[in-house]
Amino acid sequence: MNFKVLLIYPNQRGMNMLPPAIGLLSSILKEDGNTVELFDTTYYENLGETGVLEIDSDNIKTEKLMARSYQMPNDITLKTTNVLNDFTKKVESFNPDLLAMSCTEDMFEIGIALLKKVRKYKIPTILGGVFATFAPDLALSFDEIDIVCKGEGEDALRSLCRRMRTGRAYDDICNLWIKNQDGSIKTNPTMMINMDTNPLIDMDIFEEARFYRPMGGKVYRMFPVETFRGCPYKCAFCNSPSQEAMYRKETGESYVRRKSFENMRRELLFYKEEMGAEYLYFWADTFFTWKKGEFEEFAEMYKDIGLPFWCQTRIETVRQDKMKLLRDIGCARISFGIEHGNEKFRRKWIARPVSDELMLKNFAIVEDSGIPFSVNNILGFPHETRELAFDTIEFNRKINSHDRNAYAFTPFHGTPLRNECERLGYLKNEDISKSVVTGAESNPLNMPQFPRTEVNKLVKTFNMYVKFPKTRWPEIKKAEENTPEGNKIFQELKNEFISLFFNERDENFEVSAMEKQIKAPMS
């Protein structure tokens, strides 16, 4: 039997990091004899037609706020047709036996809008990704979702397809939650996969344009490399603590683990020699999660690769010898999370017990290494005030980062701070967090002490407050307002900011916060 699977990747235009999970699942399914195709919404000009998004085109236009202009080696043609109609045509022509959707929580409603259009064909649907893992009951409450993959999906999806194509029952497959006809849910244990048994990512399933992105003023052919899964840290805005707790409880093992050096080398050589990679980015929450001696072993292995790369890590993990070695083997950019500039607030509510003193000391080491670096910040945490947010601005003024981002806090399911938001009554468990790309009103938090309008004002002007002298702050305060006068002042300040501070070589790997965009999490 020719079993056909349609992978679905709901995604916003402009968030064009290649999703390695999609390529990995495709490779596994094809290797097992299935026919696989992909429907990816990334290059649709307007997703507002799905009926779930009211998109402000100024927030997602391809022309960046910083007026960057890049000549892409391969033309990216935005699709101007109706995404719902195109998806329906895809389903009708491909006639899949299974619809397999992977998405983050903020893209879920786009995915549901797609699935609604084809529900009449009664094709079984499975949902995977971080949202499915931490809100399986909520996901299954939607008529369009029949099965949820809780946790890693490589073995589960392969097994599901094997059972379905031979007509066997599949309600006992690990990691799958199945909705029965009476509405009840059959749950199964959650297991971890062996990373070293995974094949190389299927690159044929992606559009060619997916392989290109700008970095430091130039467009490169770039690919993701997986080194670790999980993170040993406990940040309250992240789902990693819940992931670790879930696997500890259900398997008795730590979710934090790395791929073997042998398989890393195989993957690196594949990208370099077969895919023509010019630049790599390491897909790990904390790059320096190495055990003693492992980073040195990795560095020795990477010398044969010789490609520039980007990575991200915790500022606590920085050491002078590590940074020198990182520079020597080709690290061209590195990102760090500050998240909040008030040490007491950071410790109490974000679960980041690192001192200002240590961060500043280690940022100086990073600066001395000569590797360009960026820092990420979050505004609008529960319990935060505008005054506390300015502590984050003040802290950023002490760091000579090449770039910095500020994002509005989003309370995703599976994060400790999501539970705190529900406890405070800011939202209910069934509320789904949406993408901030779609506008200020998509942010569900509207706290009395720090309303969403105030949060978005500071996200908008964050870089100006950090880089301009304090004598200009009254002017920037006026630029926060969405009024004719405020918009005029903002435009003038933006132009000045570009002329004084913007350097394409200092462009951050993630999209600038001043572009009102967010990075795309792995799904």
Side-chain angles (χ1 to χ4, degrees):
M1 176 184 176
N2 180 23
F3 194 83
K4 294 187 286 188
V5 182
L6 180 60
L7 297 176
I8 307 166
Y9 187 63
N11 191 38
Q12 282 276 36
R13 172 180 150 201
M15 295 164 56
N16 65 337
M17 289 181 70
L18 188 150
I22 293 292
L24 179 56
L25 293 175
S26 176
S27 186
I28 287 169
L29 292 176
K30 287 181 178 180
E31 195 177 62
D32 209 44
N34 303 286
T35 300
V36 186
E37 291 190 10
L38 170 65
F39 189 84
D40 182 352
T41 69
T42 302
Y43 293 124
Y44 276 89
E45 187 173 33
N46 183 17
L47 293 178
E49 60 205 12
T50 59
V52 298
L53 298 178
E54 293 183 4
I55 298 176
D56 177 358
S57 61
D58 288 340
N59 282 359
I60 61 168
K61 56 187 172 183
T62 304
E63 297 76 27
K64 303 304 184 185
L65 179 64
M66 292 302 194
R68 298 167 217 187
S69 178
Y70 302 105
Q71 183 63 46
M72 299 296 281
N74 290 70
D75 290 338
I76 297 178
T77 303
L78 291 175
K79 298 179 176 71
T80 58
T81 51
N82 184 289
V83 65
L84 297 178
N85 292 341
D86 285 358
F87 179 66
T88 302
K89 291 175 183 176
K90 179 71 172 180
V91 170
E92 290 174 345
S93 62
F94 184 49
N95 192 25
D97 299 291
L98 178 67
L99 298 174
M101 185 167 78
S102 177
C103 71
T104 50
E105 181 171 348
D106 52 351
M107 297 293 114
F108 179 67
E109 288 194 277
I110 298 175
I112 287 296
L114 294 172
L115 295 177
K116 280 182 184 292
K117 288 290 290 185
V118 299
R119 192 57 174 170
K120 59 186 177 183
Y121 299 116
K122 302 187 184 302
I123 304 168
T125 302
I126 180 171
L127 175 72
V130 178
F131 176 58
T133 295
F134 293 110
D137 294 280
L138 178 56
L140 286 167
S141 71
F142 286 79
D143 173 71
E144 296 77 16
I145 306 297
D146 302 306
I147 307 168
V148 153
C149 180
K150 183 183 176 208
E152 296 172 319
E154 293 97 318
D155 289 347
L157 189 57
R158 180 196 292 115
S159 297
L160 176 64
C161 292
R162 285 178 179 175
R163 302 276 191 96
M164 292 182 76
R165 74 186 183 209
T166 55
R168 291 181 291 160
Y170 50 79
D171 62 350
D172 62 342
I173 297 175
C174 287
N175 294 34
L176 297 188
W177 287 30
I178 294 95
K179 183 164 57 183
N180 298 314
Q181 289 187 346
D182 62 1
S184 62
I185 298 173
K186 171 67 166 61
T187 65
N188 291 295
T190 306
M191 304 296 291
M192 287 192 298
I193 61 99
N194 180 353
M195 292 171 65
D196 287 322
T197 63
N198 280 339
L200 293 167
I201 290 175
D202 174 24
M203 290 297 167
D204 294 336
I205 201 166
F206 297 109
E207 297 178 68
E208 181 75 6
R210 273 295 203 171
F211 306 148
Y212 295 92
R213 63 172 296 122
M215 173 70 80
K218 182 181 177 182
V219 171
Y220 293 92
R221 190 171 169 87
M222 299 179 63
F223 296 93
V225 181
E226 184 180 47
T227 51
F228 293 91
R229 288 193 184 179
C231 178
Y233 295 96
K234 307 297 182 184
C235 298
F237 60 87
C238 180
N239 57 51
S240 286
S242 299
Q243 205 165 39
E244 176 69 12
M246 179 183 77
Y247 278 100
R248 280 283 186 189
K249 179 180 179 181
E250 298 201 35
T251 71
E253 299 180 63
S254 172
Y255 182 73
V256 182
R257 63 213 195 273
R258 72 163 173 84
K259 189 179 293 183
S260 70
F261 286 117
E262 179 184 352
N263 276 294
M264 274 188 230
R265 180 178 176 81
R266 179 185 63 146
E267 189 174 345
L268 289 164
L269 288 173
F270 168 72
Y271 289 135
K272 179 180 179 178
E273 297 177 355
E274 296 187 38
M275 295 303 299
E278 300 170 327
Y279 205 114
L280 300 170
Y281 52 97
F282 284 96
W283 201 279
D285 291 339
T286 305
F287 183 72
F288 282 137
T289 308
W290 311 97
K291 294 179 181 178
K292 186 176 181 180
E294 287 186 338
F295 174 60
E296 290 73 16
E297 186 176 350
F298 165 82
E300 187 63 31
M301 179 262 291
Y302 195 81
K303 287 179 181 178
D304 294 335
I305 307 301
L307 292 174
F309 65 89
W310 169 92
C311 63
Q312 62 183 359
T313 193
R314 297 269 293 217
I315 192 62
E316 301 97 305
T317 66
V318 164
R319 301 290 183 273
Q320 197 164 25
D321 57 338
K322 284 184 178 181
M323 294 305 298
K324 181 182 183 302
L325 188 52
L326 201 62
R327 181 197 63 207
D328 291 346
I329 63 173
C331 181
R333 257 195 124 64
I334 189 166
S335 294
F336 300 91
I338 291 175
E339 319 313 351
H340 204 280
N342 182 290
E343 185 175 332
K344 290 182 179 179
F345 187 91
R346 199 168 55 238
R347 288 175 179 271
K348 181 174 182 180
W349 295 114
I350 310 179
R352 287 210 55 181
V354 54
S355 68
D356 290 351
E357 181 183 9
L358 178 61
M359 284 208 291
L360 292 173
K361 174 187 173 185
N362 284 4
F363 275 125
I365 293 173
V366 178
E367 185 179 0
D368 288 343
S369 75
I371 301 174
F373 71 100
S374 61
V375 293
N376 297 318
N377 304 271
I378 300 175
L379 305 177
F381 285 112
H383 302 288
E384 191 178 19
T385 62
R386 182 180 170 93
E387 291 70 30
L388 282 167
F390 265 86
D391 287 347
T392 301
I393 290 171
E394 293 280 12
F395 192 84
N396 276 259
R397 289 172 64 88
K398 300 175 183 178
I399 299 167
N400 292 319
S401 60
H402 293 74
D403 197 6
R404 71 219 56 80
N405 292 327
Y407 305 112
F409 169 71
T410 306
F412 291 124
H413 280 84
T415 64
L417 278 179
R418 167 73 188 214
N419 299 333
E420 179 66 6
C421 290
E422 291 181 17
R423 186 188 72 81
L424 292 168
Y426 295 146
L427 69 169
K428 300 175 183 177
N429 180 261
E430 60 268 24
D431 292 331
I432 296 173
S433 295
K434 301 178 184 179
S435 168
V436 298
V437 172
T438 59
E441 294 307 310
S442 65
N443 186 345
L445 292 191
N446 198 24
M447 303 176 290
Q449 84 285 357
F450 199 9
R452 65 163 68 98
T453 53
E454 293 300 308
V455 173
N456 282 280
K457 287 177 183 178
L458 287 187
V459 170
K460 172 184 173 182
T461 55
F462 183 84
N463 273 308
M464 294 176 181
Y465 276 116
V466 172
K467 295 299 290 182
F468 283 123
K470 287 189 175 182
T471 55
R472 307 291 298 280
W473 280 18
E475 192 178 354
I476 300 171
K477 180 69 169 64
K478 293 178 181 178
E480 293 181 24
E481 301 303 323
N482 187 23
T483 62
E485 180 188 7
N487 292 335
K488 180 176 180 292
I489 296 172
F490 178 80
Q491 185 64 41
E492 292 170 351
L493 287 172
K494 182 191 77 173
N495 292 337
E496 185 180 353
F497 184 97
I498 292 170
S499 66
L500 289 175
F501 305 115
F502 178 66
N503 183 332
E504 286 187 341
R505 291 175 301 174
D506 294 342
E507 184 193 11
N508 188 10
F509 182 76
E510 298 93 351
V511 182
S512 169
M514 291 188 70
E515 295 165 357
K516 303 181 187 176
Q517 302 233 17
I518 61 171
K519 61 183 178 180
M522 181 178 178
S523 61

